[in-house]
C-alpha cells in the first residue's frame, strides 16, 4: 500500500511520526512517504522517503494557510492510497484529499478541544467558545474520514462512532533504545527533565524546587515560549540546571543512563490530566524513579507499578520533598526504577502498539 504521512508543523524525525509510525509501516512492507515543511530537502532514511515542501515562513497564520496548501498539493501529486495526517490545521487539506478519492487517517496526538483551553495565545474569555467550535469542526470532518489513530484510549473513545475505525496507538517507548544495564551505583545523583519546556509543563516549580532539594537537574528539550528561558535563568535554582538543549535519540539515551530520577510534572490542564506522556514511560524504561503529577490516570500507572512519587505539580515544596526523599533513600529509589522498567517491559512498549497500527492498514487495504 502506498502511504503518505503528512505534517505541516512537526520536525521530520519526530519520534511518534517518523521513528515509530512511518518506520513500522515501512518495515511491514508498505511504500511510505513522509511530507514535511522544514526547508531541509528530501532524504530517504529507515525505509521512508521524506519529501520537503519548503520551510515554514511567517507566523502561525501563514503556516496554517500557505504551508498547509503546499503540503496538500504535494500529497495530491504523490497520489497515495492513504493520507495519514498529524496536525489539526491539515483537516481542510485532508477533506480535499478525501474528495480526490484518497483514504484519510487522522492521527490525534492530543485532545484538541481540551488543549485549546490552555493555549496562551488565545484570549482566556474566548477559549471555551474556540474549544467548542474546534470540537464541532472535528466532528464534522472525522465523519468523512476513514480512520482515527488516537494517542490514548480516552481520545479513541471520543471519536468512536464518528468514524468507521478508531484505534488507540499509544506513544509508548521503543525499548531497544532505552533499556540499559547501567548499574544504579554508576548513575549520578541527578534528576532529569526531557521534552518541550513551557510554563504549563512545569518548568517554573521544578527550578524553584532545586535549591531546597539540593539536587542537580539535567534539562533537555526545546524552549517553546518566548522569554521563558530568560525568566528561569534569573531564578536561584538555575545554578543547579544543566541546560543541554535539544538532543538526538543517542543524547536522550545518554541522559537516561546517567540520571536516577525523572520529572514529569505537567500542570493540571484539561488536556494533560488524561494524557499518556512519553517521557513518563521513557523514564520507566530506563530504570529511573519518577516524580509525576498526581492525576488519576497517572496515579493508576505509577502506583500500580510502584515506580515513583506523585506530587502537586504546581507546588515547588512538594517537588523538593519528593526529590529529597528519593535521593535520601537510594535503595528505595533503585527499587522504584527497577519496578518501572519491569512494568514497561510487560505493558507499555511500542512493539504491541506498532502491531495495532499495521493491523489498521490491513483493514484499510481490504
Amino acid at each position: 500500500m502506498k502511504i503518505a504521512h503528512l505534517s505541516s508543523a512537526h520536525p521530520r524525525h519526530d519520534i511518534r511520526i517518523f521513528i515509530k509510525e512511518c518506520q513500522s509501516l515501512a518495515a511491514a512492507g508498505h511504500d511510505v512517504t513522509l511530507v514535511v515543511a522544514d526547508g531541509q530537502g528530501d532524504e530517504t532514511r529507515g525505509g521512508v522517503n521524506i519529501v520537503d515542501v519548503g520551510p515554514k515562513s511567517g507566523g502561525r497564520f501563514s503556516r496554517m494557510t500557505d504551508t498547509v496548501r503546499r503540503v496538500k498539493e504535494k500529497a495530491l501529486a504523490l497520489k497515495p492510497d492513504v493520507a495519514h495526517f498529524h496536525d489539526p490545521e491539515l483537516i481542510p487539506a485532508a477533506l480535499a484529499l478525501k474528495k480526490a478519492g484518497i483514504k484519510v487517517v487522522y492521527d490525534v496526538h492530543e485532545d484538541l478541544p481540551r488543549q485549546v483551553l490552555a493555549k496562551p495565545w488565545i484570549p482566556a474569555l474566548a477559549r471555551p467558545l474556540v474549544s467548542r467550535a474546534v470540537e464541532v469542526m472535528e466532528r464534522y470532518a472525522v465523519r468523512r474520514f476513514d480512520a482515527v489513530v488516537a494517542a490514548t484510549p480516552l481520545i479513541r473513545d471520543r471519536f468512536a462512532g464518528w468514524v468507521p475505525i478508531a484505534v488507540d496507538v499509544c506513544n509508548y517507548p521503543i525499548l531497544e533504545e532505552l533499556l540499559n544495564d547501567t548499574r544504579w551505583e554508576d548513575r549520578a545523583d541527578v534528576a532529569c527533565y526531557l521534552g518541550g519546556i513551557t510554563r504549563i509543563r512545569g518548568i517554573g516549580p521544578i527550578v524553584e524546587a532545586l535549591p531546597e532539594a539540593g539536587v542537580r537537574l539535567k534539562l533537555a528539550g526545546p524552549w517553546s515560549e518566548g522569554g521563558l528561558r530568560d525568566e528561569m535563568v534569573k531564578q536561584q535554582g538555575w545554578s543547579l540546571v544543566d541546560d543541554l538543549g535539544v538532543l538526538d535519540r543517542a543524547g536522550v539515551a545518554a541522559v537516561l543512563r546517567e540520571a536516577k530520577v525523572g520529572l514529569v510534572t505537567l500542570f493540571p490542564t484539561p488536556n494533560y490530566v488524561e494524557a499518556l506522556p512519553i517521557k513518563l514511560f521513557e523514564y520507566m524504561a530506563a530504570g529511573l524513579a519518577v516524580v509525576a503529577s498526581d492525576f488519576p490516570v497517572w496515579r493508576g500507572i505509577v502506583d500500580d507499578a510502584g515506580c515513583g512519587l506523585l506530587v502537586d505539580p504546581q507546588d515547588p515544596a512538594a517537588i523538593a520533598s519528593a526529590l529529597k526523599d528519593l535521593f535520601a533513600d537510594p535503595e528505595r529509589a533503585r527499587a522504584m526504577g527497577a519496578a518501572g522498567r519491569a512494568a514497561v517491559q510487560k505493558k507499555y512498549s511500542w512493539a504491541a502498539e506498532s502491531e495495532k497500527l499495521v493491523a489498521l492498514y490491513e483493514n484499510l487495504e481490504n
Side-chain angles (χ1 to χ4, degrees), residues 62-135:
S62 176
R63 192 190 74 201
M64 295 174 67
T65 53
D66 179 61
T67 305
V68 165
R69 175 187 57 78
R70 285 184 278 132
V71 170
K72 178 189 71 175
E73 290 175 353
K74 177 57 68 174
L76 286 169
L78 289 170
K79 297 180 180 178
D81 300 305
V82 180
H84 186 138
F85 74 100
H86 294 267
D87 304 297
E89 63 196 40
L90 287 170
I91 286 176
L95 289 170
L97 294 171
K98 180 63 180 175
K99 286 184 179 179
I102 298 169
K103 292 181 179 180
V104 171
V105 175
Y106 180 19
D107 203 306
V108 189
H109 297 199
E110 298 185 273
D111 190 338
L112 183 61
R114 258 51 67 187
Q115 184 186 40
V116 163
L117 294 172
K119 290 291 187 183
W121 51 271
I122 300 175
L125 291 177
R127 289 174 198 166
L129 181 61
V130 174
S131 175
R132 178 57 183 159
V134 165
E135 189 153 23

Side-chain angles (χ1 to χ4, degrees), residues 145-200:
F145 297 155
D146 296 276
V148 160
V149 170
T152 72
L154 288 168
I155 295 175
R156 175 206 62 203
D157 290 346
R158 187 165 71 83
F159 288 97
W162 298 0
V163 66
I165 305 173
V167 60
D168 59 286
V169 176
C170 300
N171 208 22
Y172 295 151
I174 300 171
L175 297 187
E176 293 77 10
E177 288 188 332
L178 301 172
L179 292 178
N180 63 75
D181 296 323
T182 305
R183 297 190 313 157
W184 188 261
E185 297 78 11
D186 294 334
R187 296 175 182 264
D189 286 332
V190 299
C192 69
Y193 172 94
L194 306 175
I197 305 167
T198 66
R199 296 180 195 279
I200 63 174

Side-chain angles (χ1 to χ4, degrees), residues 43-60:
E43 68 170 315
T44 299
R45 182 183 294 195
V48 179
N49 297 312
I50 301 178
V51 177
D52 179 20
V53 300
K56 297 178 280 289
S57 60
R60 185 176 290 107

Side-chain angles (χ1 to χ4, degrees), residues 140-353:
Y140 170 84
V142 162
R143 291 181 185 277
R144 288 151 179 80
F145 297 155
D146 296 276
V148 160
V149 170
T152 72
L154 288 168
I155 295 175
R156 175 206 62 203
D157 290 346
R158 187 165 71 83
F159 288 97
W162 298 0
V163 66
I165 305 173
V167 60
D168 59 286
V169 176
C170 300
N171 208 22
Y172 295 151
I174 300 171
L175 297 187
E176 293 77 10
E177 288 188 332
L178 301 172
L179 292 178
N180 63 75
D181 296 323
T182 305
R183 297 190 313 157
W184 188 261
E185 297 78 11
D186 294 334
R187 296 175 182 264
D189 286 332
V190 299
C192 69
Y193 172 94
L194 306 175
I197 305 167
T198 66
R199 296 180 195 279
I200 63 174
R201 291 180 182 177
I203 187 60
I206 289 174
V207 172
E208 188 176 342
L210 295 178
E212 182 181 346
V215 172
R216 191 154 201 91
L217 178 72
K218 299 289 184 179
L219 180 68
W223 292 85
S224 303
E225 289 185 37
L228 180 58
R229 188 182 187 280
D230 292 338
E231 182 181 326
M232 291 298 105
V233 167
K234 297 175 183 177
Q235 303 301 312
Q236 179 185 355
W238 188 256
S239 64
L240 293 166
V241 175
D242 295 326
D243 186 5
L244 304 175
V246 178
L247 301 178
D248 59 18
R249 298 305 295 162
V252 168
V255 172
L256 293 173
R257 285 194 298 270
E258 180 180 6
K260 290 182 176 178
V261 176
L263 288 155
V264 54
T265 50
L266 309 184
F267 283 7
T269 65
N271 187 45
Y272 287 157
V273 294
E274 295 180 346
L276 297 175
I278 180 60
K279 64 173 67 70
L280 171 62
F281 300 103
E282 288 184 337
Y283 298 154
M284 293 167 65
L288 279 65
V290 302
V291 175
S293 303
D294 190 3
F295 302 154
V297 172
W298 298 16
R299 190 183 309 130
I301 296 168
V302 173
D303 282 353
D304 180 61
C307 64
L309 301 177
L310 298 162
V311 298
D312 177 349
Q314 295 173 292
D315 184 353
I319 296 171
S321 177
L323 288 171
K324 284 194 293 186
D325 287 350
L326 290 172
F327 283 100
D329 190 347
E331 181 55 32
R332 181 187 184 202
R334 184 205 62 77
M336 286 180 170
R341 174 172 168 162
V344 166
Q345 289 177 300
K346 182 178 180 180
K347 296 183 181 180
Y348 305 118
S349 74
W350 172 249
E353 301 306 300

